[in-house]
Amino acid sequence: MIIAKDYKLNVWLSDKSYKSKPVAADYMSMRWDDVTLSLEDFIDRIREGYSYCHIYSGNRRLKSEFRYSQVVSIDVDDTCINMNRFIESCSIKPTFGYETFSNGIDGFYSYRLVFVFAERLSSEYYPLVYDRLCTLCGLEDTKDHCGKVLTQLMNGTTHDAGLYVSNNIYSIMSDSQFGIELQDNITCNDNILGVNHNIQSYNNSHNQKQYKRKVAKCNNGLEDSFDAIDMLADDIEQFLNFYGKIFKVIREQKLYFNQSGYCVIPENHLSLFVRYSRTKDGSVINRFKDGEKRRNRLFIDGCIIRKIKPDITFLELLYNLAHRVFYYYDNSDGILSTDLIV
């Protein structure tokens, strides 16, 4: 999971905004625009009264035309618990939540919890993720499971409506609350997850054949790795820029501070070593060079990272090792190749 209000996602928005809940005639005439916008802008559009839905082929909101979705919405209708109080009780927080047009009718609360994902969820996988979110939020028996319907649209709201924002962007591959229980449903089929992540396809056939032998088993999220490995081989800086929006750089174990703002570093504290040199302009990173056992050092880096985060996924570890190579190692001779990192 990352926190990013500027995260870009794909979604369909209605071509018109509505100041109240649309009626039948509005739904009949509703048209859609396929847009890419930041999370912050997406929330603004919803508060301006725009409706939203998944991504389809053409302009036809049909189950047979469903392509993917990065957004999972769960409705909580006609409840006695207000939105903020309910979200406080959830083990997983929505990316954002908002009170709907129906809020306040007959004295009850109605609101929508919206979860944004880094992956493109296909028609096979979307219902599984929806059900998992309902379980995590305690909403298995919610009044209306319309959010699970592949053709469902979601109405916006008004600027006066209550709003909750965490800016959490989730990943079913790297967040353990999804990966552990859904692992058995993952197959080696890119269409299941839609793993292109809004980037161009990297198709280096030589590397793809070479690496498929290394990651042939379909576990620990490895089916998501082929595009990532091709991207890494093609352009490590682009790989880091892209996956840096999804994963965090792991440098050391978490330290716990007391109320005065101090902590004692334990003897078994784990952290990655970075070497600096002092110059007249300040300190600069002194990269590990040829003759300094770079491959052995990188292997140890990987072991330490896995000790810090034992449940780390293949992709997150790949990102962290590539980050180490790019910033802390001299790899001008290409010894620390993509093959070696993988």
Side-chain angles (χ1 to χ4, degrees):
M1 182 194 77
I2 62 171
I3 301 175
K5 67 179 181 180
D6 59 346
Y7 187 84
K8 297 292 178 61
L9 67 147
N10 293 344
V11 70
W12 269 19
L13 286 182
S14 61
D15 60 346
K16 297 178 182 178
S17 62
Y18 301 89
K19 295 182 179 180
S20 59
K21 187 173 181 177
V23 297
D26 295 322
Y27 290 126
M28 291 293 292
S29 62
M30 200 174 283
R31 296 294 180 268
W32 302 92
D33 295 321
D34 188 344
V35 298
T36 300
L37 69 175
S38 69
L39 175 59
E40 186 176 30
D41 289 339
F42 181 37
I43 296 173
D44 286 342
R45 297 297 185 276
I46 289 175
R47 299 184 74 197
E48 292 169 1
Y50 286 90
S51 299
Y52 67 92
C53 65
H54 310 305
I55 303 295
Y56 305 85
S57 297
N59 204 274
R60 299 186 294 173
R61 191 164 49 87
L62 301 172
K63 182 178 180 180
S64 60
E65 301 297 335
F66 182 98
R67 291 176 55 204
Y68 65 87
S69 182
Q70 289 185 264
V71 180
V72 179
S73 303
I74 304 176
D75 280 356
V76 184
D77 293 327
D78 303 331
T79 177
C80 297
I81 305 174
N82 68 42
M83 179 174 65
N84 288 331
R85 181 182 168 194
F86 178 80
I87 292 175
E88 285 179 2
S89 69
C90 294
S91 62
I92 184 172
K93 309 304 180 188
T95 306
F96 63 95
Y98 63 93
E99 293 174 344
T100 62
F101 288 127
S102 301
N103 186 65
I105 295 178
D106 296 329
F108 291 101
Y109 297 101
S110 294
Y111 40 89
R112 181 165 292 127
L113 310 181
V114 184
F115 298 82
V116 175
F117 285 83
E119 292 90 0
R120 295 178 173 183
L121 306 176
S122 72
S123 58
E124 294 91 344
Y125 216 81
Y126 179 89
L128 299 175
V129 177
Y130 176 91
D131 287 341
R132 180 61 179 146
L133 286 170
C134 285
T135 299
L136 291 169
C137 294
L139 290 171
E140 300 95 324
D141 298 323
T142 189
K143 179 181 177 180
D144 188 355
H145 281 294
C146 64
K148 189 175 180 179
V149 179
L150 294 179
T151 56
Q152 182 67 34
L153 66 86
M154 297 294 174
N155 293 318
T157 190
T158 67
H159 279 288
D160 296 330
L163 180 69
Y164 167 92
V165 180
S166 72
N167 292 322
N168 292 344
I169 307 297
Y170 292 98
S171 169
I172 57 174
M173 300 309 303
S174 62
D175 295 336
S176 59
Q177 63 263 50
F178 301 107
I180 293 176
E181 294 197 13
L182 295 178
Q183 193 68 49
D184 291 339
N185 296 311
I186 297 175
T187 66
C188 287
N189 180 355
D190 286 352
N191 292 326
I192 293 294
L193 296 179
V195 296
N196 287 331
H197 294 298
N198 304 329
I199 58 173
Q200 70 182 72
S201 177
Y202 288 79
N203 292 314
N204 185 317
S205 59
H206 172 74
N207 286 337
Q208 195 165 1
K209 290 179 181 179
Q210 180 180 359
Y211 296 127
K212 278 186 177 180
R213 290 196 296 269
K214 294 179 178 291
V215 292
K217 289 187 178 180
C218 196
N219 53 27
N220 295 330
L222 298 188
E223 71 286 345
D224 192 26
S225 66
F226 302 136
D227 284 344
I229 292 171
D230 286 341
M231 187 197 297
L232 177 61
D234 189 52
D235 188 338
I236 186 172
E237 191 166 5
Q238 185 174 10
F239 170 88
L240 293 173
N241 288 337
F242 176 75
Y243 282 96
K245 299 176 182 177
I246 302 174
F247 301 124
K248 292 183 179 180
V249 175
I250 297 173
R251 292 189 174 93
E252 63 179 2
Q253 285 179 310
K254 184 177 180 180
L255 294 173
Y256 295 92
F257 295 79
N258 60 27
Q259 293 181 349
S260 300
Y262 296 96
C263 74
V264 176
I265 299 178
E267 291 183 0
N268 60 349
H269 179 71
L270 292 174
S271 63
L272 296 173
F273 178 63
V274 177
R275 185 174 61 184
Y276 293 92
S277 295
R278 181 168 296 179
T279 67
K280 62 179 181 180
D281 298 322
S283 297
V284 297
I285 294 173
N286 184 358
R287 299 171 185 265
F288 300 115
K289 302 176 181 64
D290 181 27
E292 294 186 291
K293 299 182 178 180
R294 289 169 294 170
R295 286 172 287 191
N296 187 59
R297 284 184 180 274
L298 187 64
F299 175 78
I300 294 173
D301 284 346
C303 291
I304 293 173
I305 291 170
R306 290 190 66 187
K307 289 278 285 185
I308 294 173
K309 187 174 182 180
D311 62 344
I312 193 169
T313 64
F314 174 85
L315 274 182
E316 188 174 9
L317 182 58
L318 182 69
Y319 166 75
N320 273 273
L321 290 177
H323 185 277
R324 295 287 297 173
V325 169
F326 187 77
Y327 288 102
Y328 303 116
Y329 289 78
D330 177 3
N331 194 33
S332 55
D333 55 5
I335 287 297
L336 303 178
S337 63
T338 299
D339 191 8
L340 181 83
I341 297 172
V342 172

